[in-house]
Amino acid sequence: MEKLTESRLKTLHEEHVRNLARMEQSNEDVLVHSTDVPGGYTVPPHHHRRTQFLCVFSGVVLVATDRGRWMIPPGHALLIPRGLEHSVEMYSDVSMRSVYIYSPEGRAAAREPVVLEVTDLARQLIAEALRKGAVAEDRVRGELVMALLLDEIGRLQERRLGLPFPASGRLAGLCRDFVAQPSPAAKIDDWARRLNMSRRTFTRFFRQEMGVSFVTWRQQACLFACLPRLAAGEPVTRVALDAGYESVPAFTTMFRRMLGAAPRAYLTSREAA
């Protein structure tokens, strides 16, 4: 990753402000934008008047809102509802494409962020939409490409890569500490004791606050901590042991259950795509 000097950070921020202003002033129903951003940069909190389909081609991105955090590895996209304030943190050098959709129909009408697995067809359509926008060729063909792209976005499969996060309170403190140093061995009883609750009360409280069980959230948080390191090329064995897993097979089983493939095969296929 390149070293982010104060001058470089200023340039990146100015580019973001210009691009945001240009998109917000446009009257187009669908806009497609391409961005390559160095690791370590965080796009400050902002929002759009269109629904954003943020697709990561390479690298790992973390999008944070007051409703939770969403990790986006290569080959995935986050659907961000219009009007929702969010920041975007680059965990590594990132190449991403965004589709901004004004229409309030289909997936663009989503009220909550959702992570989607991007198909080869969707990637090719995004690339074609960018090419058409650059050379301003046949408008009819361009409209057909956009229409097919929107249809394909509506067919993409959801992936459980969102991490609910409380905005404040003692539970938020426990969650922040866990994300900083995750462990699959974390116990419900320990968290309940730290909040002066019984196990049953804590279990009910956690699900009410987070929308998922403690065990599910713990698995997701561990995955969050591991994905950027794996995407950066660190050995699976080191990442698994640092995350508190007793063996690589145990880590691989968790990863496969969450993302459908073993760590290295999954990331290799995504980067190749």
Side-chain angles (χ1 to χ4, degrees):
M1 296 192 301
E2 70 174 87
K3 183 177 180 180
L4 293 181
T5 62
E6 188 173 331
S7 175
R8 178 62 168 142
L9 286 172
K10 181 181 178 182
T11 299
L12 289 168
H13 179 66
E14 291 174 347
E15 289 177 354
H16 165 69
V17 171
R18 285 196 300 270
N19 289 331
L20 182 61
R22 183 165 57 249
M23 287 184 293
E24 293 301 289
Q25 293 167 6
S26 173
N27 292 321
E28 294 289 334
D29 289 337
V30 183
L31 296 172
V32 184
H33 182 66
S34 175
T35 312
D36 293 324
V37 189
Y41 178 65
T42 298
V43 179
H46 64 286
H47 64 273
H48 309 281
R49 65 189 182 100
R50 296 174 175 83
T51 295
Q52 181 182 7
F53 177 76
L54 192 161
C55 179
V56 178
F57 277 37
S58 66
V60 177
V61 167
L62 178 70
V63 176
T65 77
D66 60 359
R67 303 180 192 179
R69 300 181 180 193
W70 286 263
M71 181 73 77
I72 316 173
H76 289 78
L78 181 69
L79 198 68
I80 306 172
R82 69 192 73 226
L84 179 61
E85 187 169 87
H86 59 283
S87 62
V88 185
E89 181 178 355
M90 316 304 158
Y91 268 56
S92 61
D93 292 343
V94 171
S95 180
M96 58 187 177
R97 312 290 182 264
S98 285
V99 182
Y100 298 91
I101 310 168
Y102 190 75
S103 171
E105 300 177 356
R107 273 229 159 100
R111 296 186 178 182
E112 296 293 335
V114 59
V115 179
L116 303 170
E117 184 171 358
V118 180
T119 60
D120 290 339
L121 177 58
R123 281 190 290 270
Q124 293 299 326
L125 288 170
I126 290 173
E128 181 67 8
L130 284 167
R131 193 184 74 81
K132 289 297 178 183
V135 299
E137 293 180 358
D138 188 341
R139 186 164 185 84
V140 173
R141 177 181 171 80
E143 291 175 350
L144 290 172
V145 169
M146 289 295 192
L148 184 55
L149 174 58
L150 295 182
D151 181 77
E152 184 66 8
I153 290 174
R155 299 171 184 269
L156 300 180
Q157 293 186 353
E158 295 185 17
R159 285 294 187 186
R160 294 164 52 192
L161 289 173
L163 188 70
F165 215 84
S168 60
R170 290 183 298 164
L171 181 58
L174 291 179
C175 290
R176 280 193 293 270
D177 291 344
F178 186 88
V179 170
Q181 194 169 8
S183 170
K187 305 292 189 211
I188 291 177
D189 291 332
D190 293 337
W191 283 49
R193 186 164 49 252
R194 293 177 67 178
L195 294 182
N196 297 318
M197 296 179 180
S198 68
R199 179 187 177 93
R200 177 177 296 182
T201 300
F202 173 79
T203 300
R204 183 169 60 249
F205 169 72
F206 192 94
R207 185 176 285 278
Q208 288 174 345
E209 288 287 309
M210 311 292 269
V212 296
S213 71
F214 175 80
V215 172
T216 297
W217 187 89
R218 183 183 63 192
Q219 291 176 333
Q220 289 292 97
C222 285
L223 190 62
F224 263 45
C226 295
L227 271 174
R229 296 180 62 185
L230 291 170
E234 289 194 38
V236 175
T237 299
R238 182 193 304 164
V239 173
L241 296 178
D242 287 352
Y245 283 84
E246 295 181 356
S247 67
V248 173
F251 174 75
T252 299
T253 297
M254 180 280 295
F255 197 99
R256 192 189 300 275
R257 183 167 61 247
M258 302 297 285
L259 291 176
R264 191 54 58 205
Y266 173 84
L267 288 167
T268 298
S269 66
R270 292 296 155 192
E271 291 287 0

mmCIF file of all heavy atoms in Angstrom, residues 92-131:
data_model
loop_
_atom_site.group_PDB
_atom_site.id
_atom_site.type_symbol
_atom_site.label_atom_id
_atom_site.label_comp_id
_atom_site.label_asym_id
_atom_site.label_seq_id
_atom_site.Cartn_x
_atom_site.Cartn_y
_atom_site.Cartn_z
ATOM 1 N N SER A 92 -7.416 -2.226 2.348
ATOM 2 C CA SER A 92 -6.279 -2.501 1.482
ATOM 3 C C SER A 92 -6.468 -1.629 0.250
ATOM 4 O O SER A 92 -7.454 -0.886 0.157
ATOM 5 C CB SER A 92 -6.253 -3.995 1.094
ATOM 6 O OG SER A 92 -7.439 -4.333 0.397
ATOM 7 N N ASP A 93 -5.526 -1.674 -0.694
ATOM 8 C CA ASP A 93 -5.740 -0.965 -1.952
ATOM 9 C C ASP A 93 -7.000 -1.537 -2.596
ATOM 10 O O ASP A 93 -7.152 -2.747 -2.722
ATOM 11 C CB ASP A 93 -4.545 -1.145 -2.883
ATOM 12 C CG ASP A 93 -3.296 -0.451 -2.356
ATOM 13 O OD1 ASP A 93 -3.432 0.408 -1.466
ATOM 14 O OD2 ASP A 93 -2.191 -0.780 -2.824
ATOM 15 N N VAL A 94 -7.886 -0.655 -3.018
ATOM 16 C CA VAL A 94 -9.210 -1.079 -3.459
ATOM 17 C C VAL A 94 -9.517 -0.579 -4.862
ATOM 18 O O VAL A 94 -9.221 0.565 -5.216
ATOM 19 C CB VAL A 94 -10.298 -0.559 -2.484
ATOM 20 C CG1 VAL A 94 -11.699 -0.805 -3.044
ATOM 21 C CG2 VAL A 94 -10.150 -1.231 -1.125
ATOM 22 N N SER A 95 -10.107 -1.461 -5.657
ATOM 23 C CA SER A 95 -10.676 -1.088 -6.942
ATOM 24 C C SER A 95 -12.162 -1.390 -6.869
ATOM 25 O O SER A 95 -12.554 -2.541 -6.646
ATOM 26 C CB SER A 95 -10.028 -1.888 -8.082
ATOM 27 O OG SER A 95 -10.588 -1.524 -9.330
ATOM 28 N N MET A 96 -13.000 -0.365 -6.975
ATOM 29 C CA MET A 96 -14.438 -0.582 -6.831
ATOM 30 C C MET A 96 -15.211 0.205 -7.884
ATOM 31 O O MET A 96 -14.717 1.183 -8.448
ATOM 32 C CB MET A 96 -14.906 -0.214 -5.415
ATOM 33 C CG MET A 96 -14.624 1.195 -4.977
ATOM 34 S SD MET A 96 -15.052 1.430 -3.221
ATOM 35 C CE MET A 96 -14.535 3.143 -3.003
ATOM 36 N N ARG A 97 -16.426 -0.285 -8.140
ATOM 37 C CA ARG A 97 -17.335 0.345 -9.086
ATOM 38 C C ARG A 97 -18.666 0.569 -8.374
ATOM 39 O O ARG A 97 -19.110 -0.283 -7.604
ATOM 40 C CB ARG A 97 -17.567 -0.549 -10.317
ATOM 41 C CG ARG A 97 -16.307 -1.116 -10.945
ATOM 42 C CD ARG A 97 -15.472 -0.071 -11.646
ATOM 43 N NE ARG A 97 -14.289 -0.677 -12.281
ATOM 44 C CZ ARG A 97 -13.090 -0.711 -11.714
ATOM 45 N NH1 ARG A 97 -12.914 -0.207 -10.501
ATOM 46 N NH2 ARG A 97 -12.064 -1.267 -12.353
ATOM 47 N N SER A 98 -19.297 1.694 -8.645
ATOM 48 C CA SER A 98 -20.579 1.981 -8.007
ATOM 49 C C SER A 98 -21.635 2.268 -9.067
ATOM 50 O O SER A 98 -21.371 2.964 -10.057
ATOM 51 C CB SER A 98 -20.474 3.189 -7.065
ATOM 52 O OG SER A 98 -19.800 2.849 -5.872
ATOM 53 N N VAL A 99 -22.814 1.711 -8.844
ATOM 54 C CA VAL A 99 -23.976 1.985 -9.682
ATOM 55 C C VAL A 99 -24.962 2.757 -8.800
ATOM 56 O O VAL A 99 -25.366 2.271 -7.741
ATOM 57 C CB VAL A 99 -24.631 0.694 -10.204
ATOM 58 C CG1 VAL A 99 -25.817 1.029 -11.113
ATOM 59 C CG2 VAL A 99 -23.616 -0.162 -10.941
ATOM 60 N N TYR A 100 -25.332 3.959 -9.228
ATOM 61 C CA TYR A 100 -26.251 4.796 -8.457
ATOM 62 C C TYR A 100 -27.612 4.781 -9.159
ATOM 63 O O TYR A 100 -27.724 5.168 -10.327
ATOM 64 C CB TYR A 100 -25.719 6.219 -8.354
ATOM 65 C CG TYR A 100 -24.399 6.308 -7.631
ATOM 66 C CD1 TYR A 100 -23.193 6.225 -8.337
ATOM 67 C CD2 TYR A 100 -24.333 6.463 -6.255
ATOM 68 C CE1 TYR A 100 -21.963 6.288 -7.685
ATOM 69 C CE2 TYR A 100 -23.118 6.532 -5.591
ATOM 70 C CZ TYR A 100 -21.938 6.451 -6.307
ATOM 71 O OH TYR A 100 -20.732 6.509 -5.658
ATOM 72 N N ILE A 101 -28.633 4.340 -8.434
ATOM 73 C CA ILE A 101 -29.942 4.079 -9.039
ATOM 74 C C ILE A 101 -30.992 5.023 -8.456
ATOM 75 O O ILE A 101 -31.233 5.021 -7.238
ATOM 76 C CB ILE A 101 -30.362 2.618 -8.793
ATOM 77 C CG1 ILE A 101 -29.224 1.671 -9.196
ATOM 78 C CG2 ILE A 101 -31.634 2.289 -9.550
ATOM 79 C CD1 ILE A 101 -29.425 0.242 -8.724
ATOM 80 N N TYR A 102 -31.618 5.819 -9.314
ATOM 81 C CA TYR A 102 -32.624 6.787 -8.854
ATOM 82 C C TYR A 102 -34.001 6.156 -8.703
ATOM 83 O O TYR A 102 -34.781 6.529 -7.839
ATOM 84 C CB TYR A 102 -32.702 7.960 -9.829
ATOM 85 C CG TYR A 102 -33.531 9.110 -9.303
ATOM 86 C CD1 TYR A 102 -33.021 9.954 -8.317
ATOM 87 C CD2 TYR A 102 -34.818 9.353 -9.782
ATOM 88 C CE1 TYR A 102 -33.776 11.001 -7.816
ATOM 89 C CE2 TYR A 102 -35.579 10.402 -9.287
ATOM 90 C CZ TYR A 102 -35.047 11.212 -8.306
ATOM 91 O OH TYR A 102 -35.801 12.246 -7.813
ATOM 92 N N SER A 103 -34.319 5.190 -9.557
ATOM 93 C CA SER A 103 -35.641 4.553 -9.534
ATOM 94 C C SER A 103 -35.936 3.940 -8.167
ATOM 95 O O SER A 103 -35.083 3.283 -7.575
ATOM 96 C CB SER A 103 -35.717 3.456 -10.596
ATOM 97 O OG SER A 103 -36.905 2.700 -10.432
ATOM 98 N N PRO A 104 -37.168 4.125 -7.639
ATOM 99 C CA PRO A 104 -37.537 3.561 -6.333
ATOM 100 C C PRO A 104 -38.106 2.151 -6.438
ATOM 101 O O PRO A 104 -38.829 1.697 -5.552
ATOM 102 C CB PRO A 104 -38.600 4.549 -5.840
ATOM 103 C CG PRO A 104 -39.304 4.972 -7.097
ATOM 104 C CD PRO A 104 -38.228 5.022 -8.169
ATOM 105 N N GLU A 105 -37.787 1.444 -7.510
ATOM 106 C CA GLU A 105 -38.355 0.113 -7.715
ATOM 107 C C GLU A 105 -37.310 -0.974 -7.504
ATOM 108 O O GLU A 105 -36.107 -0.726 -7.540
ATOM 109 C CB GLU A 105 -38.931 0.004 -9.142
ATOM 110 C CG GLU A 105 -40.032 1.022 -9.438
ATOM 111 C CD GLU A 105 -40.516 0.911 -10.877
ATOM 112 O OE1 GLU A 105 -39.937 0.101 -11.631
ATOM 113 O OE2 GLU A 105 -41.471 1.622 -11.232
ATOM 114 N N GLY A 106 -37.773 -2.211 -7.290
ATOM 115 C CA GLY A 106 -36.889 -3.361 -7.148
ATOM 116 C C GLY A 106 -35.945 -3.220 -5.969
ATOM 117 O O GLY A 106 -36.304 -2.696 -4.917
ATOM 118 N N ARG A 107 -34.722 -3.670 -6.160
ATOM 119 C CA ARG A 107 -33.731 -3.624 -5.077
ATOM 120 C C ARG A 107 -33.383 -2.192 -4.687
ATOM 121 O O ARG A 107 -32.938 -1.933 -3.566
ATOM 122 C CB ARG A 107 -32.463 -4.365 -5.497
ATOM 123 C CG ARG A 107 -32.539 -5.873 -5.196
ATOM 124 C CD ARG A 107 -31.261 -6.305 -4.474
ATOM 125 N NE ARG A 107 -31.437 -7.532 -3.736
ATOM 126 C CZ ARG A 107 -31.050 -8.739 -4.158
ATOM 127 N NH1 ARG A 107 -30.504 -8.887 -5.334
ATOM 128 N NH2 ARG A 107 -31.211 -9.796 -3.390
ATOM 129 N N ALA A 108 -33.567 -1.248 -5.599
ATOM 130 C CA ALA A 108 -33.256 0.144 -5.290
ATOM 131 C C ALA A 108 -34.179 0.706 -4.213
ATOM 132 O O ALA A 108 -33.910 1.764 -3.651
ATOM 133 C CB ALA A 108 -33.349 0.997 -6.551
ATOM 134 N N ALA A 109 -35.266 0.003 -3.929
ATOM 135 C CA ALA A 109 -36.210 0.451 -2.901
ATOM 136 C C ALA A 109 -35.841 -0.076 -1.520
ATOM 137 O O ALA A 109 -36.559 0.157 -0.548
ATOM 138 C CB ALA A 109 -37.623 -0.009 -3.271
ATOM 139 N N ALA A 110 -34.704 -0.782 -1.424
ATOM 140 C CA ALA A 110 -34.288 -1.369 -0.147
ATOM 141 C C ALA A 110 -34.168 -0.304 0.936
ATOM 142 O O ALA A 110 -33.691 0.805 0.689
ATOM 143 C CB ALA A 110 -32.953 -2.092 -0.317
ATOM 144 N N ARG A 111 -34.581 -0.664 2.147
ATOM 145 C CA ARG A 111 -34.497 0.265 3.278
ATOM 146 C C ARG A 111 -33.327 -0.050 4.195
ATOM 147 O O ARG A 111 -32.972 0.767 5.048
ATOM 148 C CB ARG A 111 -35.805 0.231 4.073
ATOM 149 C CG ARG A 111 -37.005 0.728 3.272
ATOM 150 C CD ARG A 111 -38.239 0.821 4.139
ATOM 151 N NE ARG A 111 -39.384 1.349 3.401
ATOM 152 C CZ ARG A 111 -40.576 1.574 3.941
ATOM 153 N NH1 ARG A 111 -40.772 1.288 5.228
ATOM 154 N NH2 ARG A 111 -41.553 2.070 3.211
ATOM 155 N N GLU A 112 -32.741 -1.232 4.040
ATOM 156 C CA GLU A 112 -31.607 -1.627 4.854
ATOM 157 C C GLU A 112 -30.460 -2.076 3.942
ATOM 158 O O GLU A 112 -30.694 -2.667 2.891
ATOM 159 C CB GLU A 112 -31.983 -2.774 5.809
ATOM 160 C CG GLU A 112 -33.041 -2.405 6.846
ATOM 161 C CD GLU A 112 -32.541 -1.388 7.849
ATOM 162 O OE1 GLU A 112 -31.302 -1.313 8.061
ATOM 163 O OE2 GLU A 112 -33.368 -0.660 8.420
ATOM 164 N N PRO A 113 -29.216 -1.823 4.337
ATOM 165 C CA PRO A 113 -28.075 -2.288 3.541
ATOM 166 C C PRO A 113 -28.065 -3.812 3.467
ATOM 167 O O PRO A 113 -28.446 -4.499 4.413
ATOM 168 C CB PRO A 113 -26.866 -1.768 4.331
ATOM 169 C CG PRO A 113 -27.396 -0.625 5.136
ATOM 170 C CD PRO A 113 -28.794 -1.018 5.497
ATOM 171 N N VAL A 114 -27.610 -4.338 2.337
ATOM 172 C CA VAL A 114 -27.493 -5.789 2.178
ATOM 173 C C VAL A 114 -26.291 -6.099 1.298
ATOM 174 O O VAL A 114 -26.034 -5.402 0.309
ATOM 175 C CB VAL A 114 -28.787 -6.379 1.559
ATOM 176 C CG1 VAL A 114 -29.084 -5.752 0.205
ATOM 177 C CG2 VAL A 114 -28.693 -7.886 1.424
ATOM 178 N N VAL A 115 -25.528 -7.120 1.686
ATOM 179 C CA VAL A 115 -24.371 -7.545 0.895
ATOM 180 C C VAL A 115 -24.824 -8.554 -0.149
ATOM 181 O O VAL A 115 -25.559 -9.493 0.164
ATOM 182 C CB VAL A 115 -23.281 -8.172 1.788
ATOM 183 C CG1 VAL A 115 -22.099 -8.640 0.933
ATOM 184 C CG2 VAL A 115 -22.797 -7.167 2.828
ATOM 185 N N LEU A 116 -24.381 -8.379 -1.388
ATOM 186 C CA LEU A 116 -24.778 -9.245 -2.494
ATOM 187 C C LEU A 116 -23.533 -9.852 -3.149
ATOM 188 O O LEU A 116 -22.497 -9.189 -3.268
ATOM 189 C CB LEU A 116 -25.557 -8.445 -3.542
ATOM 190 C CG LEU A 116 -26.804 -7.724 -3.034
ATOM 191 C CD1 LEU A 116 -27.336 -6.778 -4.112
ATOM 192 C CD2 LEU A 116 -27.878 -8.713 -2.624
ATOM 193 N N GLU A 117 -23.640 -11.100 -3.572
ATOM 194 C CA GLU A 117 -22.554 -11.739 -4.311
ATOM 195 C C GLU A 117 -22.705 -11.397 -5.788
ATOM 196 O O GLU A 117 -23.745 -11.640 -6.395
ATOM 197 C CB GLU A 117 -22.580 -13.253 -4.104
ATOM 198 C CG GLU A 117 -21.418 -13.947 -4.772
ATOM 199 C CD GLU A 117 -21.322 -15.422 -4.393
ATOM 200 O OE1 GLU A 117 -22.138 -15.896 -3.584
ATOM 201 O OE2 GLU A 117 -20.419 -16.093 -4.916
ATOM 202 N N VAL A 118 -21.660 -10.829 -6.368
ATOM 203 C CA VAL A 118 -21.719 -10.303 -7.731
ATOM 204 C C VAL A 118 -21.385 -11.394 -8.747
ATOM 205 O O VAL A 118 -20.373 -12.090 -8.619
ATOM 206 C CB VAL A 118 -20.751 -9.117 -7.890
ATOM 207 C CG1 VAL A 118 -20.807 -8.565 -9.310
ATOM 208 C CG2 VAL A 118 -21.099 -8.026 -6.887
ATOM 209 N N THR A 119 -22.231 -11.547 -9.748
ATOM 210 C CA THR A 119 -22.015 -12.558 -10.782
ATOM 211 C C THR A 119 -21.070 -12.031 -11.860
ATOM 212 O O THR A 119 -20.822 -10.824 -11.971
ATOM 213 C CB THR A 119 -23.348 -12.934 -11.443
ATOM 214 O OG1 THR A 119 -23.918 -11.737 -12.030
ATOM 215 C CG2 THR A 119 -24.326 -13.507 -10.423
ATOM 216 N N ASP A 120 -20.564 -12.960 -12.685
ATOM 217 C CA ASP A 120 -19.718 -12.564 -13.815
ATOM 218 C C ASP A 120 -20.483 -11.636 -14.752
ATOM 219 O O ASP A 120 -19.924 -10.669 -15.282
ATOM 220 C CB ASP A 120 -19.240 -13.803 -14.580
ATOM 221 C CG ASP A 120 -18.228 -14.619 -13.787
ATOM 222 O OD1 ASP A 120 -17.615 -14.062 -12.863
ATOM 223 O OD2 ASP A 120 -18.060 -15.817 -14.093
ATOM 224 N N LEU A 121 -21.763 -11.942 -14.966
ATOM 225 C CA LEU A 121 -22.573 -11.115 -15.851
ATOM 226 C C LEU A 121 -22.682 -9.686 -15.331
ATOM 227 O O LEU A 121 -22.543 -8.722 -16.089
ATOM 228 C CB LEU A 121 -23.971 -11.723 -16.012
ATOM 229 C CG LEU A 121 -24.963 -10.906 -16.863
ATOM 230 C CD1 LEU A 121 -24.407 -10.675 -18.267
ATOM 231 C CD2 LEU A 121 -26.321 -11.613 -16.927
ATOM 232 N N ALA A 122 -22.913 -9.535 -14.027
ATOM 233 C CA ALA A 122 -23.017 -8.196 -13.442
ATOM 234 C C ALA A 122 -21.719 -7.419 -13.618
ATOM 235 O O ALA A 122 -21.722 -6.230 -13.960
ATOM 236 C CB ALA A 122 -23.391 -8.289 -11.968
ATOM 237 N N ARG A 123 -20.577 -8.096 -13.400
ATOM 238 C CA ARG A 123 -19.284 -7.428 -13.577
ATOM 239 C C ARG A 123 -19.087 -6.970 -15.018
ATOM 240 O O ARG A 123 -18.614 -5.861 -15.277
ATOM 241 C CB ARG A 123 -18.147 -8.374 -13.166
ATOM 242 C CG ARG A 123 -17.930 -8.461 -11.660
ATOM 243 C CD ARG A 123 -16.641 -9.222 -11.346
ATOM 244 N NE ARG A 123 -16.764 -10.639 -11.662
ATOM 245 C CZ ARG A 123 -17.193 -11.558 -10.797
ATOM 246 N NH1 ARG A 123 -17.548 -11.205 -9.587
ATOM 247 N NH2 ARG A 123 -17.275 -12.823 -11.136
ATOM 248 N N GLN A 124 -19.429 -7.845 -15.971
ATOM 249 C CA GLN A 124 -19.262 -7.494 -17.372
ATOM 250 C C GLN A 124 -20.181 -6.345 -17.784
ATOM 251 O O GLN A 124 -19.785 -5.456 -18.560
ATOM 252 C CB GLN A 124 -19.530 -8.720 -18.248
ATOM 253 C CG GLN A 124 -18.508 -9.835 -18.108
ATOM 254 C CD GLN A 124 -17.114 -9.410 -18.497
ATOM 255 O OE1 GLN A 124 -16.921 -8.597 -19.401
ATOM 256 N NE2 GLN A 124 -16.121 -9.946 -17.807
ATOM 257 N N LEU A 125 -21.387 -6.340 -17.241
ATOM 258 C CA LEU A 125 -22.334 -5.261 -17.567
ATOM 259 C C LEU A 125 -21.866 -3.928 -16.988
ATOM 260 O O LEU A 125 -22.015 -2.880 -17.630
ATOM 261 C CB LEU A 125 -23.723 -5.612 -17.024
ATOM 262 C CG LEU A 125 -24.461 -6.729 -17.768
ATOM 263 C CD1 LEU A 125 -25.697 -7.161 -16.996
ATOM 264 C CD2 LEU A 125 -24.854 -6.271 -19.180
ATOM 265 N N ILE A 126 -21.289 -3.967 -15.779
ATOM 266 C CA ILE A 126 -20.756 -2.740 -15.196
ATOM 267 C C ILE A 126 -19.605 -2.208 -16.045
ATOM 268 O O ILE A 126 -19.516 -1.012 -16.343
ATOM 269 C CB ILE A 126 -20.290 -2.994 -13.744
ATOM 270 C CG1 ILE A 126 -21.498 -3.236 -12.840
ATOM 271 C CG2 ILE A 126 -19.476 -1.807 -13.222
ATOM 272 C CD1 ILE A 126 -21.129 -3.665 -11.435
ATOM 273 N N ALA A 127 -18.720 -3.119 -16.464
ATOM 274 C CA ALA A 127 -17.596 -2.722 -17.316
ATOM 275 C C ALA A 127 -18.091 -2.130 -18.630
ATOM 276 O O ALA A 127 -17.571 -1.120 -19.115
ATOM 277 C CB ALA A 127 -16.693 -3.922 -17.578
ATOM 278 N N GLU A 128 -19.112 -2.742 -19.207
ATOM 279 C CA GLU A 128 -19.671 -2.243 -20.470
ATOM 280 C C GLU A 128 -20.352 -0.900 -20.275
ATOM 281 O O GLU A 128 -20.229 -0.002 -21.118
ATOM 282 C CB GLU A 128 -20.661 -3.267 -21.025
ATOM 283 C CG GLU A 128 -21.304 -2.877 -22.359
ATOM 284 C CD GLU A 128 -20.313 -2.838 -23.518
ATOM 285 O OE1 GLU A 128 -19.160 -3.247 -23.342
ATOM 286 O OE2 GLU A 128 -20.709 -2.373 -24.612
ATOM 287 N N ALA A 129 -21.053 -0.736 -19.154
ATOM 288 C CA ALA A 129 -21.721 0.536 -18.871
ATOM 289 C C ALA A 129 -20.696 1.665 -18.732
ATOM 290 O O ALA A 129 -20.910 2.782 -19.197
ATOM 291 C CB ALA A 129 -22.549 0.415 -17.598
ATOM 292 N N LEU A 130 -19.565 1.364 -18.093
ATOM 293 C CA LEU A 130 -18.511 2.364 -17.962
ATOM 294 C C LEU A 130 -17.906 2.704 -19.315
ATOM 295 O O LEU A 130 -17.625 3.866 -19.616
ATOM 296 C CB LEU A 130 -17.423 1.842 -17.023
ATOM 297 C CG LEU A 130 -17.755 1.877 -15.529
ATOM 298 C CD1 LEU A 130 -16.756 1.052 -14.746
ATOM 299 C CD2 LEU A 130 -17.773 3.321 -15.024
ATOM 300 N N ARG A 131 -17.716 1.682 -20.156
ATOM 301 C CA ARG A 131 -17.153 1.924 -21.484
ATOM 302 C C ARG A 131 -18.080 2.761 -22.330
ATOM 303 O O ARG A 131 -17.667 3.701 -23.001
ATOM 304 C CB ARG A 131 -16.876 0.597 -22.190
ATOM 305 C CG ARG A 131 -16.011 0.724 -23.442
ATOM 306 C CD ARG A 131 -15.856 -0.585 -24.155
ATOM 307 N NE ARG A 131 -17.066 -0.955 -24.850
ATOM 308 C CZ ARG A 131 -17.416 -0.483 -26.048
ATOM 309 N NH1 ARG A 131 -16.636 0.389 -26.664
ATOM 310 N NH2 ARG A 131 -18.525 -0.867 -26.626
#
